[in-house]
Amino acid sequence: MFHRIYPTPFTRLNEAWNPLGVVYSNEQDPYCDPLITGKANGHWSGNPRSDFYNNIAIDIVTETAFNYPTPYFSEKSIRPLLYKRMFVLVAPVGQLEMLKHHGYKTFSPFINEEYDNIADPFDRMTHIIAEIERLCSMPLDKIKKAMLQYKDILEHNYIHVKTQKSRDLKNVAMLLGVYV
């Protein structure tokens, strides 16, 4: 067995995530974690979320802060838009309203979005849990029909996030004095 020298203790993440204790490395390629090298290593290829999103219809998005004074965007809120999925946001009050303000569309009346207007965090969480339980109790055929019914909204959100990303990157580049 050979030993590797790691710059920090956190570079061993691929081994820490490995429940069987198998090391996916060898002397020729001492570190082959695809998140670091970009090369497939046999146990992961491509985007790890894409397979996951092929098997879900509604994403339960839990933002970092639930009881926060103002709504905000994070990668968590954007993720279902990029994967063309309906969503329930476990987020600060007004998060759905802010998404709508920025040009995104939501899935009312299929998803009851009243929770977004409830300021009290305990009441908001109670309503969110009730909505998730309601959605989980639905037959899959009804959810599949809703996905087809809302496919134009799913596509709109996907295109909108892609164009907004491009526009935001250009704005940041202008602020930094870099022209793209």
Side-chain angles (χ1 to χ4, degrees):
M1 173 116 188
F2 66 98
H3 296 281
R4 287 174 275 166
I5 299 171
Y6 297 100
T8 68
F10 299 106
T11 58
R12 293 181 55 128
L13 286 177
N14 67 329
E15 293 167 17
W17 291 340
N18 184 348
L20 301 176
V22 178
V23 178
Y24 293 103
S25 301
N26 58 47
E27 290 176 339
Q28 289 76 36
D29 192 6
Y31 199 87
C32 63
D33 189 318
L35 297 173
I36 306 291
T37 64
K39 298 185 290 185
N41 64 2
H43 69 281
W44 181 81
S45 61
N47 188 332
R49 292 188 185 103
S50 61
D51 290 339
F52 173 76
Y53 273 92
N54 286 335
N55 297 313
I56 68 164
I58 302 170
D59 192 1
I60 310 302
V61 179
T62 54
E63 273 295 352
T64 305
F66 174 72
N67 188 19
Y68 198 70
T70 58
Y72 61 92
F73 283 118
S74 81
E75 80 286 355
K76 296 173 195 81
S77 297
I78 303 302
R79 188 182 58 222
L81 305 174
L82 287 172
Y83 285 100
K84 300 179 185 179
R85 293 295 180 257
M86 295 185 284
F87 53 87
V88 173
L89 293 178
V90 183
V93 65
Q95 184 91 352
L96 286 172
E97 194 59 41
M98 187 180 74
L99 282 171
K100 292 175 189 176
H101 176 75
H102 285 278
Y104 296 98
K105 296 179 181 179
T106 59
F107 307 98
S108 181
F110 181 73
I111 295 176
N112 182 351
E113 299 173 348
E114 291 176 9
Y115 67 85
D116 191 52
N117 301 318
I118 301 171
D120 179 79
F122 296 105
D123 288 344
R124 188 166 68 255
M125 184 60 82
T126 301
H127 280 79
I128 290 170
I129 291 169
E131 182 58 15
I132 292 169
E133 288 174 344
R134 185 186 73 82
L135 293 168
C136 288
S137 68
M138 278 186 185
L140 286 177
D141 289 342
K142 189 171 184 177
I143 294 171
K144 287 178 184 178
K145 286 179 185 174
M147 289 284 292
L148 292 173
Q149 177 186 347
Y150 288 102
K151 71 179 182 177
D152 293 339
I153 290 176
L154 296 168
E155 188 65 27
H156 165 83
N157 288 343
Y158 174 78
I159 291 168
H160 191 65
V161 76
K162 288 290 198 177
T163 56
Q164 186 158 1
K165 174 185 162 192
S166 175
R167 193 171 45 246
D168 289 348
L169 287 174
K170 286 179 183 174
N171 289 341
V172 169
M174 276 194 327
L175 288 172
L176 295 173
V178 180
Y179 298 98
V180 286

